[in-house]
Amino acid sequence: METKNADDTASTRRQGGVLGQRDFRLLWIGETARGIGNSVTAVAVPLVAVVTLDTSATAVGLLSAAVWLPWLLVGLPAGAWVDRMRRRPLLIACAVLSAVLYATVPVAAWLGALTFGHLLAVVLICGIAAVFVRTAVHSYLPTVLTEADLQEGNARISASESATDVVGKGLAGLISQAFGAVTGLLLDAITFVLSALCLTGIKARETKPEQPDQPIPLGRQIAEGLRFVFSDRYLRPIVTYGALVNFALLGYQAVQVVFLVRTVGAGTATVGVLLTAGSIGGIVGASVAPALGRRFGTARGMLATQLLTGPFALLLPLTTSGAGLAFFALGTFVLGFGIVTCNVVLASFRQTYCPPRILGRVVATTMVLNHSTIPLGALIGGFLGDALGPRPAMWIMTAVLAPCGLVLALGPMRSQRDLPTTPRPDPAPDTQEEEHA
């Protein structure tokens, strides 16, 4: 990894922060392009299934499940594999693979040969590639940026994720209406090509991970990552908080469209505007997260933000037609703000706190545990919506979400201004470790 001295870093900040650094700028552009493509795909794939292939609702649900299933199938092994190899070649390979696979869908459709099995296989394989990308990007960022710039870099990437979620979904609708849903997947393929080209242009030298004298079995490497997370007094409440938040979020999101359309009586255009409020809140949260950390402390600022923003979830089930739509807009905006602010702080914390040797496994373990509750939350939210009605389901799931910040308050963050800024000592490979004090 190339070294950057304090004078270089200060000069770069005066010239535009991390975006003034060529390597990060290329990584950020590539990630932004990939984010736009993913947002387009999130809309285009169901449209292709319904409009082009005339599939059932169950089949569309299967496609949605295929997006998250790879985390449960390969999430933990992916972390161990990422720790064994250089990240940039892996990111480039995943981008090229995804570009080729997504391009096959419109080609097959234009030839009249597209099938549901083809579409499902593409979504599943690209979902597996996405697991490796999400894990590797977090592990690769410390190669591109100095430790002092990590929080700003994570903030930039998180802001672009929220922004591309808004832009991509709107773009998908326009492209699908003008040129057909399959054309949206061609755009996704192009964004992956752009991502690969940007990664190729990065000049920072990445140190090859050290290999042990005797190979450690994959299962033991995975266990080491799990043990590191669950034995740590900081990471344990953070992971628990993330799992609970995702459970409650997906629980109410599973019924929010039904709630807005059938219970509140909102039109489809209004629903689209309301749902983007969360992404806009995320953009604002990512933009101010570094400043909040400097002003109030990373631990204290993050904890206060979660305790203050979580209760705004209770505004959502209060939504009514007309002026009452403001309840939903305000609630989802504040939730988006709080969640993304927290994500920026925690991503930077993991990158500086976790030993580089096992960073990929820690990132993968955290994401797998956080994502494991998503299908459960969606299923329970849908069940409650059918059994009790959309508004009671919204009340139940948002009532779970509102106090989740208390989980963080029970951890060591409650008595500290900042999260640790020095790495935790690297445990010996494949050994039991005591809880970090």
Side-chain angles (χ1 to χ4, degrees):
M1 174 177 168
E2 292 182 329
T3 60
K4 301 178 177 66
N5 61 41
D7 291 339
D8 292 339
T9 301
S11 175
T12 298
R13 284 175 180 161
R14 286 195 299 270
Q15 297 171 11
V18 292
L19 288 179
Q21 302 182 36
R22 179 183 179 278
D23 284 345
F24 177 79
R25 188 166 61 248
L26 286 171
L27 179 64
W28 177 76
I29 292 172
E31 281 298 288
T32 300
R34 188 178 64 85
I36 291 175
N38 285 341
S39 296
V40 170
T41 299
V43 176
V45 165
L47 286 175
V48 170
V50 173
V51 177
T52 305
L53 299 177
D54 193 26
T55 59
S56 65
T58 300
V60 175
L62 185 59
L63 286 171
S64 298
V67 174
W68 299 106
L69 184 60
W71 282 103
L72 303 181
L73 294 178
V74 301
L76 293 176
W81 286 323
V82 166
D83 282 336
R84 294 177 177 180
M85 60 186 72
R86 289 189 175 96
R87 279 76 175 196
R88 190 178 69 146
L90 174 63
L91 290 168
I92 294 172
C94 288
V96 172
L97 175 64
S98 298
V100 171
L101 288 175
Y102 279 125
T104 65
V105 175
V107 171
W110 295 331
L111 295 175
L114 181 63
T115 65
F116 178 77
H118 180 169
L119 186 61
L120 180 63
V122 168
V123 170
L124 186 60
I125 297 173
C126 289
I128 293 173
V131 171
F132 283 91
V133 169
R134 291 291 302 277
T135 303
V137 163
H138 285 277
S139 302
Y140 183 56
L141 192 59
T143 299
V144 177
L145 293 176
T146 63
E147 181 178 324
D149 288 330
L150 281 177
Q151 191 167 92
E152 183 185 349
N154 282 306
R156 293 287 187 180
I157 290 176
S158 294
S160 70
E161 287 177 353
S162 297
T164 56
D165 190 54
V166 176
V167 174
K169 290 178 180 177
L171 190 59
L174 294 174
I175 291 175
S176 298
Q177 184 172 352
F179 305 105
V182 294
T183 307
L185 296 182
L186 183 60
L187 174 63
D188 196 8
I190 294 172
T191 63
F192 276 104
V193 171
L194 177 57
S195 178
L197 291 174
C198 288
L199 288 164
T200 303
I202 294 176
K203 295 181 178 180
R205 292 187 298 271
E206 185 178 5
T207 304
K208 184 178 181 180
E210 295 183 6
Q211 301 298 326
D213 295 334
Q214 294 188 358
I216 300 175
L218 181 63
R220 291 184 181 179
Q221 289 187 301
I222 294 172
E224 186 182 5
L226 287 165
R227 192 162 57 243
F228 186 94
V229 171
F230 282 111
S231 69
D232 190 87
R233 68 191 190 115
Y234 291 100
L235 296 175
R236 190 169 55 242
I238 287 170
V239 168
T240 303
Y241 168 76
L244 285 174
V245 166
N246 282 339
F247 170 81
L249 276 174
L250 270 293
Y252 86 72
Q253 288 176 3
V255 295
Q256 66 181 2
V257 173
V258 176
F259 167 68
L260 290 171
V261 173
R262 297 180 181 173
T263 303
V264 177
T268 54
T270 302
V271 171
V273 172
L274 291 173
L275 295 183
T276 61
S279 297
I280 296 172
I283 295 172
V284 177
S287 301
V288 304
L292 287 175
R294 290 191 297 268
R295 175 66 178 84
F296 301 104
T298 52
R300 188 181 300 164
M302 179 187 67
L303 180 58
T305 300
Q306 302 318 295
L307 292 174
L308 292 173
T309 60
F312 277 80
L314 298 175
L315 293 179
L316 303 183
L318 292 173
T319 304
T320 58
S321 59
L325 294 173
F327 286 118
F328 195 95
L330 178 60
T332 194
F333 174 88
V334 174
L335 287 174
F337 172 90
I339 290 169
V340 173
T341 301
C342 181
N343 288 343
V344 170
V345 173
L346 294 183
S348 303
F349 166 64
R350 281 196 303 266
Q351 289 159 349
T352 56
Y353 181 68
C354 301
R357 183 182 62 81
I358 62 171
L359 179 56
R361 277 167 284 173
V362 172
V363 170
T365 299
T366 300
M367 289 187 172
V368 168
L369 294 172
N370 286 348
H371 291 161
S372 66
T373 58
I374 287 177
L376 180 61
L379 288 173
I380 292 180
F383 171 78
L384 291 173
D386 287 335
L388 304 177
R391 194 182 296 273
M394 293 285 290
W395 274 115
I396 293 171
M397 301 310 296
T398 55
V400 174
L401 178 60
C404 281
L406 294 175
V407 174
L408 293 176
L410 295 174
M413 286 78 81
R414 69 181 183 275
S415 59
Q416 298 179 352
R417 183 184 188 278
D418 291 291
L419 292 166
T421 56
T422 56
R424 171 179 165 177
D426 189 356
D430 194 35
T431 59
Q432 295 292 333
E433 46 184 328
E434 298 296 328
E435 180 169 341
H436 185 59

mmCIF file of all heavy atoms in Angstrom, residues 246-265:
data_model
loop_
_atom_site.group_PDB
_atom_site.id
_atom_site.type_symbol
_atom_site.label_atom_id
_atom_site.label_comp_id
_atom_site.label_asym_id
_atom_site.label_seq_id
_atom_site.Cartn_x
_atom_site.Cartn_y
_atom_site.Cartn_z
ATOM 1 N N ASN A 246 -32.814 -4.182 10.595
ATOM 2 C CA ASN A 246 -33.182 -4.732 9.293
ATOM 3 C C ASN A 246 -34.455 -5.560 9.365
ATOM 4 O O ASN A 246 -35.281 -5.541 8.449
ATOM 5 C CB ASN A 246 -32.041 -5.586 8.740
ATOM 6 C CG ASN A 246 -30.933 -4.737 8.148
ATOM 7 O OD1 ASN A 246 -31.144 -3.580 7.803
ATOM 8 N ND2 ASN A 246 -29.749 -5.296 8.038
ATOM 9 N N PHE A 247 -34.628 -6.298 10.461
ATOM 10 C CA PHE A 247 -35.865 -7.070 10.647
ATOM 11 C C PHE A 247 -37.082 -6.143 10.644
ATOM 12 O O PHE A 247 -38.062 -6.380 9.935
ATOM 13 C CB PHE A 247 -35.796 -7.834 11.968
ATOM 14 C CG PHE A 247 -37.092 -8.459 12.381
ATOM 15 C CD1 PHE A 247 -37.489 -9.675 11.843
ATOM 16 C CD2 PHE A 247 -37.927 -7.839 13.301
ATOM 17 C CE1 PHE A 247 -38.693 -10.258 12.215
ATOM 18 C CE2 PHE A 247 -39.126 -8.403 13.688
ATOM 19 C CZ PHE A 247 -39.510 -9.617 13.139
ATOM 20 N N ALA A 248 -37.010 -5.070 11.423
ATOM 21 C CA ALA A 248 -38.147 -4.158 11.525
ATOM 22 C C ALA A 248 -38.341 -3.351 10.246
ATOM 23 O O ALA A 248 -39.475 -3.119 9.802
ATOM 24 C CB ALA A 248 -37.956 -3.226 12.721
ATOM 25 N N LEU A 249 -37.236 -2.906 9.635
ATOM 26 C CA LEU A 249 -37.333 -2.141 8.389
ATOM 27 C C LEU A 249 -38.037 -2.930 7.300
ATOM 28 O O LEU A 249 -38.975 -2.445 6.662
ATOM 29 C CB LEU A 249 -35.933 -1.746 7.906
ATOM 30 C CG LEU A 249 -35.290 -0.491 8.483
ATOM 31 C CD1 LEU A 249 -33.861 -0.366 7.971
ATOM 32 C CD2 LEU A 249 -36.084 0.748 8.124
ATOM 33 N N LEU A 250 -37.552 -4.155 7.063
ATOM 34 C CA LEU A 250 -38.166 -4.963 6.004
ATOM 35 C C LEU A 250 -39.567 -5.398 6.378
ATOM 36 O O LEU A 250 -40.392 -5.650 5.492
ATOM 37 C CB LEU A 250 -37.290 -6.168 5.694
ATOM 38 C CG LEU A 250 -36.225 -5.937 4.606
ATOM 39 C CD1 LEU A 250 -36.903 -5.729 3.257
ATOM 40 C CD2 LEU A 250 -35.313 -4.763 4.929
ATOM 41 N N GLY A 251 -39.846 -5.471 7.685
ATOM 42 C CA GLY A 251 -41.192 -5.821 8.118
ATOM 43 C C GLY A 251 -42.216 -4.787 7.696
ATOM 44 O O GLY A 251 -43.269 -5.115 7.147
ATOM 45 N N TYR A 252 -41.911 -3.497 7.932
ATOM 46 C CA TYR A 252 -42.894 -2.488 7.523
ATOM 47 C C TYR A 252 -42.806 -2.194 6.035
ATOM 48 O O TYR A 252 -43.806 -1.865 5.393
ATOM 49 C CB TYR A 252 -42.766 -1.216 8.378
ATOM 50 C CG TYR A 252 -41.762 -0.187 7.941
ATOM 51 C CD1 TYR A 252 -41.967 0.597 6.810
ATOM 52 C CD2 TYR A 252 -40.626 0.049 8.705
ATOM 53 C CE1 TYR A 252 -41.053 1.557 6.422
ATOM 54 C CE2 TYR A 252 -39.704 1.019 8.327
ATOM 55 C CZ TYR A 252 -39.919 1.765 7.189
ATOM 56 O OH TYR A 252 -39.018 2.719 6.807
ATOM 57 N N GLN A 253 -41.600 -2.332 5.443
ATOM 58 C CA GLN A 253 -41.484 -2.088 4.012
ATOM 59 C C GLN A 253 -42.231 -3.133 3.180
ATOM 60 O O GLN A 253 -42.628 -2.848 2.051
ATOM 61 C CB GLN A 253 -40.007 -2.037 3.613
ATOM 62 C CG GLN A 253 -39.307 -0.778 4.095
ATOM 63 C CD GLN A 253 -37.824 -0.764 3.785
ATOM 64 O OE1 GLN A 253 -37.303 -1.674 3.150
ATOM 65 N NE2 GLN A 253 -37.128 0.277 4.248
ATOM 66 N N ALA A 254 -42.428 -4.321 3.750
ATOM 67 C CA ALA A 254 -43.166 -5.362 3.029
ATOM 68 C C ALA A 254 -44.622 -4.972 2.793
ATOM 69 O O ALA A 254 -45.263 -5.462 1.861
ATOM 70 C CB ALA A 254 -43.092 -6.685 3.793
ATOM 71 N N VAL A 255 -45.156 -4.087 3.655
ATOM 72 C CA VAL A 255 -46.571 -3.717 3.529
ATOM 73 C C VAL A 255 -46.771 -2.228 3.249
ATOM 74 O O VAL A 255 -47.905 -1.781 3.108
ATOM 75 C CB VAL A 255 -47.362 -4.097 4.814
ATOM 76 C CG1 VAL A 255 -47.397 -5.598 4.995
ATOM 77 C CG2 VAL A 255 -46.764 -3.425 6.046
ATOM 78 N N GLN A 256 -45.676 -1.456 3.136
ATOM 79 C CA GLN A 256 -45.851 -0.014 3.030
ATOM 80 C C GLN A 256 -46.550 0.403 1.733
ATOM 81 O O GLN A 256 -47.352 1.347 1.737
ATOM 82 C CB GLN A 256 -44.505 0.702 3.157
ATOM 83 C CG GLN A 256 -43.513 0.441 2.044
ATOM 84 C CD GLN A 256 -42.189 1.166 2.251
ATOM 85 O OE1 GLN A 256 -41.979 1.854 3.256
ATOM 86 N NE2 GLN A 256 -41.265 1.017 1.311
ATOM 87 N N VAL A 257 -46.273 -0.285 0.631
ATOM 88 C CA VAL A 257 -46.932 0.085 -0.627
ATOM 89 C C VAL A 257 -48.425 -0.244 -0.559
ATOM 90 O O VAL A 257 -49.275 0.568 -0.966
ATOM 91 C CB VAL A 257 -46.262 -0.630 -1.816
ATOM 92 C CG1 VAL A 257 -47.062 -0.379 -3.092
ATOM 93 C CG2 VAL A 257 -44.831 -0.147 -1.990
ATOM 94 N N VAL A 258 -48.755 -1.414 -0.036
ATOM 95 C CA VAL A 258 -50.164 -1.782 0.143
ATOM 96 C C VAL A 258 -50.846 -0.794 1.076
ATOM 97 O O VAL A 258 -51.984 -0.356 0.840
ATOM 98 C CB VAL A 258 -50.281 -3.217 0.695
ATOM 99 C CG1 VAL A 258 -51.735 -3.571 0.969
ATOM 100 C CG2 VAL A 258 -49.660 -4.214 -0.278
ATOM 101 N N PHE A 259 -50.150 -0.419 2.138
ATOM 102 C CA PHE A 259 -50.690 0.549 3.099
ATOM 103 C C PHE A 259 -50.968 1.895 2.438
ATOM 104 O O PHE A 259 -52.056 2.474 2.595
ATOM 105 C CB PHE A 259 -49.696 0.706 4.253
ATOM 106 C CG PHE A 259 -49.967 1.872 5.159
ATOM 107 C CD1 PHE A 259 -51.080 1.895 5.984
ATOM 108 C CD2 PHE A 259 -49.087 2.953 5.203
ATOM 109 C CE1 PHE A 259 -51.332 2.977 6.830
ATOM 110 C CE2 PHE A 259 -49.327 4.027 6.037
ATOM 111 C CZ PHE A 259 -50.443 4.048 6.856
ATOM 112 N N LEU A 260 -49.999 2.386 1.666
ATOM 113 C CA LEU A 260 -50.157 3.694 1.043
ATOM 114 C C LEU A 260 -51.241 3.690 -0.030
ATOM 115 O O LEU A 260 -52.029 4.636 -0.140
ATOM 116 C CB LEU A 260 -48.825 4.148 0.444
ATOM 117 C CG LEU A 260 -47.729 4.520 1.445
ATOM 118 C CD1 LEU A 260 -46.402 4.740 0.731
ATOM 119 C CD2 LEU A 260 -48.121 5.772 2.242
ATOM 120 N N VAL A 261 -51.310 2.627 -0.828
ATOM 121 C CA VAL A 261 -52.256 2.589 -1.945
ATOM 122 C C VAL A 261 -53.663 2.250 -1.475
ATOM 123 O O VAL A 261 -54.635 2.944 -1.812
ATOM 124 C CB VAL A 261 -51.777 1.585 -3.012
ATOM 125 C CG1 VAL A 261 -52.836 1.410 -4.094
ATOM 126 C CG2 VAL A 261 -50.469 2.052 -3.634
ATOM 127 N N ARG A 262 -53.813 1.192 -0.695
ATOM 128 C CA ARG A 262 -55.146 0.684 -0.348
ATOM 129 C C ARG A 262 -55.733 1.309 0.911
ATOM 130 O O ARG A 262 -56.941 1.488 1.004
ATOM 131 C CB ARG A 262 -55.092 -0.839 -0.198
ATOM 132 C CG ARG A 262 -54.726 -1.553 -1.490
ATOM 133 C CD ARG A 262 -54.690 -3.054 -1.316
ATOM 134 N NE ARG A 262 -54.310 -3.723 -2.565
ATOM 135 C CZ ARG A 262 -54.077 -5.022 -2.683
ATOM 136 N NH1 ARG A 262 -54.195 -5.810 -1.614
ATOM 137 N NH2 ARG A 262 -53.725 -5.545 -3.839
ATOM 138 N N THR A 263 -54.895 1.617 1.880
ATOM 139 C CA THR A 263 -55.406 2.186 3.131
ATOM 140 C C THR A 263 -55.434 3.706 3.076
ATOM 141 O O THR A 263 -56.439 4.336 3.436
ATOM 142 C CB THR A 263 -54.551 1.721 4.326
ATOM 143 O OG1 THR A 263 -54.527 0.296 4.376
ATOM 144 C CG2 THR A 263 -55.103 2.269 5.631
ATOM 145 N N VAL A 264 -54.342 4.307 2.634
ATOM 146 C CA VAL A 264 -54.256 5.770 2.589
ATOM 147 C C VAL A 264 -54.903 6.324 1.320
ATOM 148 O O VAL A 264 -55.432 7.428 1.316
ATOM 149 C CB VAL A 264 -52.781 6.210 2.691
ATOM 150 C CG1 VAL A 264 -52.651 7.726 2.583
ATOM 151 C CG2 VAL A 264 -52.173 5.721 4.000
ATOM 152 N N GLY A 265 -54.861 5.553 0.220
ATOM 153 C CA GLY A 265 -55.440 6.006 -1.036
ATOM 154 C C GLY A 265 -54.504 6.851 -1.875
ATOM 155 O O GLY A 265 -54.955 7.632 -2.721
#
